[in-house]
Every structure is written in C-alpha cells, then in structure tokens.
Amino acid sequence: MVATDPLWLPSLSYDETELRKMDSALVMADGTALGSRPGIRPGDPGLAVSLAGTTVNVTAGAAVLYRSGQGVYRAQLAATSPGTLTAANATFARIDLVYLRVWDTAIDSSGLRKADTVLLTGTPSGSPAIPTPGATEIYIPLATINVPNTGGGGTGAATVSSAIRQVTVAPGGVLPVLSTAAPSTAGPGTILYYTDTGAYWYFQADGTTKALLVDSPGGTTLGKTIEALKTGATQTVTSSTTLVNATQLVLPLAANATYALSGLVIYDGAFGSGDIKVDWSLPASATMLWTANGMGTAANGLYTANTVPAGTTIALGTYGAGPPYTSLSIEGTIVTAGTAGNAQFRFAQNSSNAVPTSVYAKSRLSARRIA
C-alpha cells in the first residue's frame, strides 16, 4: 500500500502535483481516474477573443486546464494580446487558433512557469484546418480566427469564432454544451444541456445517454398525453358514404409506441336514416383495437359497443338534428411500428341521405402513451 498526504492536515508538506491532483475533486470528471474536464465556467464572459484591426485581444478571465497524470491547473489572466495576424495568403484561406497555455517546465522543458495566451497561425489551404499546439503543451482553446485569402479581404475580413471554447462545471453541475461537442463519457447522473437544441440529456449507469425530460427535444414521450379538440366550424357529409377526415380530430403519434385512446364525438343527422360510420387512418404498419360506443342504427334505440381492429368501420345511429345532439364515446389501444405519423379520425354517412350528418365543435380525442 502506498500512502498519500490528504489535504489540510498539520505538519504535512505537499508538492505541486499532489495539490493539482487533489484539485481534480473540484472539477467535472472526464471519465478517467483522476481525469478532469478543462474549460471556462458557464456564463463567464472572461477570456473572450476579439480583433482590433489585425491585433488579437483577450479579455481577463480564469479557466481550468488539465493534463493526464498531472492534475488540474487553475489559471487567471489580466487582459492581454497574444499578437497580431500574419499577412493573408494570396490564394488560400487559413484558420488561426487562440489558446490559453500553462508553461510547466517539469512537463514541457520550457524553463518557464507561467500562464498566458498564444496565437498559433494556421496553414493556408484549400481546406484549411485548425492548427494543433505541441504535444507537451498544457492548454485549452479559446477561439479560432478565419482569415480569408487576399482576394476575399485578407486579414481585414478575418472573423473570430468561439465555437471551440469549452466550459466545465463542478461535479454534479449541469454542463451546457453543443450537442455535437458533448463529452462521450461522464459519471452516471451527469446532466448535459444542449445549447443548440434546448434538450437535457443525462448519463446512465451503463455509460449511455438518455433524454431527461418528456418535453425535451429527443426525449421520450412515455406518459405524455396528446389531445385534439375540434374548435372550428361544424363539418357535414351529405348524400355520401365516402369517409372524410374529421378536421382537427387528429393525433400525432411517435414511432414504436403504444397509446391508450379515448374521445367524445358530438354529431347529429336524419332521424332513423343516414346514420354515421366512423373509422381511422393510421401511420404505416400501426395496429389498433378500438370501440365507438353509442346508439344503434335505424333509430332502434339500442346501445351498441363493438371492439374492432383498424380498418373496420363502426356504424352508429342518428336521432335527428340537434340540439340536443347525439354523441359517441371512443376507447382503444393503438400500437405504432417504425413509422411516426397521424391517427386521423374519419366519418361518413352509413347510408346516403340528403339530410346532412354533422360533427360538431367540442368533439375531442386524447391518446396517452403507455409503452
């Protein structure tokens, strides 16, 4: 067993590496033993890069840097300038990199122990790439500078991008990050906020990520209820048994999901004739068992309740023009396959009649995802 020195005990002395490694406990882990995620605090405007002509400026700020086996380097800087842009190439554009560096002679043999910003000029190319600092350098990138060729304006048209800038948080903090730049590993329960999509995701115990909230983009809709309410004008079918879509009575469903369906449809039509028939159109390969409960056809006064699969119409009676109106209630289960899409309620006359069969406002549907 190799003993170490815990922090803040009397009569102990510490070297710099011990202190940096213990500082790792203050910063979000990177998925490796003693590893830390380097970066700037979320919301901290410090260490911002800008151009004044060809002069590169960096505002004051603080950051956390990390090197494997060496722990965490905490650095703060006053406002500084790492240099000026070199002249643009006549033919090709280039990308320059501005970064914060810590010089540690024990690691880089530089003979220096300091922190400062660096401007690293890129290589002009038809497909310019971000330059890479030396292998022994301890650094975090702050910004890139896109320098077009002289025909495109050269250094006078150079632009700064902070997309490469990385943030870090304390353990347990919510990490704001682009979805395209999210860490691939983190501890279970670590929460990511994707700044480009507005989604919250978290790491599970097996190392995979999952959307945190039902309404978060990309999140599961399990337990969520989708509702449709007919608020528009009365919709009629006259002298026709051809099914039509009931306006507004449509439910958008996710792929590979199971929904508990319910609803109330308010309608009327000629007494004892015409009647109404109803069914659904569903997303590709979706299946369904459902019932429409209500009065029987031909004004027989009988209550009807039949459970049928999708594609089978159910006929119910009409009992004269309202008010009062006739109504039917809906219950069922819909199972979608690999295609998302709409569950559309449809209706028509069961037998053609010159008296309209009508569906009224305040008819409603709902589908709650149960699997």
Side-chain angles (χ1 to χ4, degrees):
M1 182 178 71
V2 179
T4 61
D5 297 327
L7 196 57
W8 307 128
L9 288 183
S11 304
L12 294 180
S13 60
Y14 307 94
D15 66 34
E16 67 277 6
T17 305
E18 283 183 297
L19 293 171
R20 289 197 304 266
K21 287 182 177 180
M22 285 186 279
D23 272 355
S24 296
L26 307 178
V27 183
M28 177 180 176
D30 68 356
T32 65
L34 290 176
S36 300
R37 176 183 170 88
I40 299 162
R41 295 175 302 170
D44 187 341
L47 300 176
V49 178
S50 62
L51 285 171
T54 60
T55 301
V56 180
N57 294 311
V58 181
T59 62
V64 173
L65 297 84
Y66 169 75
R67 186 171 182 89
S68 178
Q70 298 299 315
V72 167
Y73 292 81
R74 290 185 282 174
Q76 63 83 30
L77 291 178
T80 183
S81 172
T84 59
L85 299 177
T86 60
N89 184 270
T91 305
F92 298 116
R94 73 169 194 267
I95 301 174
D96 296 349
L97 177 67
V98 181
Y99 59 95
L100 171 62
R101 178 181 175 182
V102 167
W103 282 262
D104 181 352
T105 191
I107 305 302
D108 56 27
S109 302
S110 63
L112 301 173
R113 294 184 177 91
K114 68 172 187 174
D116 205 348
T117 55
V118 177
L119 170 62
L120 180 59
T121 301
T123 302
S125 169
S127 300
I130 300 171
T132 303
T136 61
E137 294 189 36
I138 303 162
Y139 73 97
I140 58 166
L142 300 178
T144 55
I145 302 176
N146 298 297
V147 182
N149 60 27
T150 54
T155 54
T159 56
V160 177
S161 170
S162 60
I164 200 170
R165 176 185 172 105
Q166 181 169 290
V167 298
T168 192
V169 293
V174 177
L175 180 68
V177 64
L178 288 170
S179 60
T180 54
S184 58
T185 58
T190 299
I191 299 174
L192 309 176
Y193 171 65
Y194 292 158
T195 56
D196 51 339
T197 68
Y200 286 90
W201 286 65
Y202 69 98
F203 279 88
Q204 302 185 99
D206 63 0
T208 61
T209 55
K210 184 177 181 180
L212 178 64
L213 305 174
V214 166
D215 291 326
S216 184
T220 177
T221 56
L222 185 63
K224 184 176 181 180
T225 298
I226 305 163
E227 297 182 330
L229 174 66
K230 185 171 177 60
T231 59
T234 301
Q235 185 177 0
T236 63
V237 172
T238 304
S239 301
S240 176
T241 59
T242 301
L243 291 159
V244 299
N245 292 341
T247 56
Q248 298 182 289
L249 296 182
V250 57
L251 299 167
L253 306 180
N256 302 309
T258 301
Y259 292 89
L261 174 69
S262 63
L264 173 71
V265 177
I266 302 165
Y267 71 97
D268 67 10
F271 185 88
S273 59
D275 297 324
I276 189 172
K277 65 179 178 181
V278 293
D279 84 342
W280 298 83
S281 64
L282 298 177
S285 301
T287 59
M288 179 182 194
L289 280 175
W290 71 292
T291 182
N293 303 320
M295 301 305 294
T297 59
N300 62 23
L302 299 177
Y303 181 81
T304 182
N306 299 298
T307 301
V308 297
T312 303
T313 59
I314 295 177
L316 297 166
T318 50
Y319 285 74
Y325 302 105
T326 313
S327 64
L328 62 90
S329 60
I330 294 170
E331 295 290 337
T333 304
I334 303 174
V335 180
T336 59
T339 303
N342 292 333
Q344 171 68 64
F345 181 75
R346 306 191 298 177
F347 79 102
Q349 291 182 318
N350 190 48
S351 57
S352 182
N353 193 282
V355 176
T357 295
S358 303
V359 170
Y360 288 89
K362 297 185 176 61
S363 296
R364 55 181 169 79
L365 301 171
S366 65
R368 182 172 63 87
R369 184 171 177 181
I370 57 176

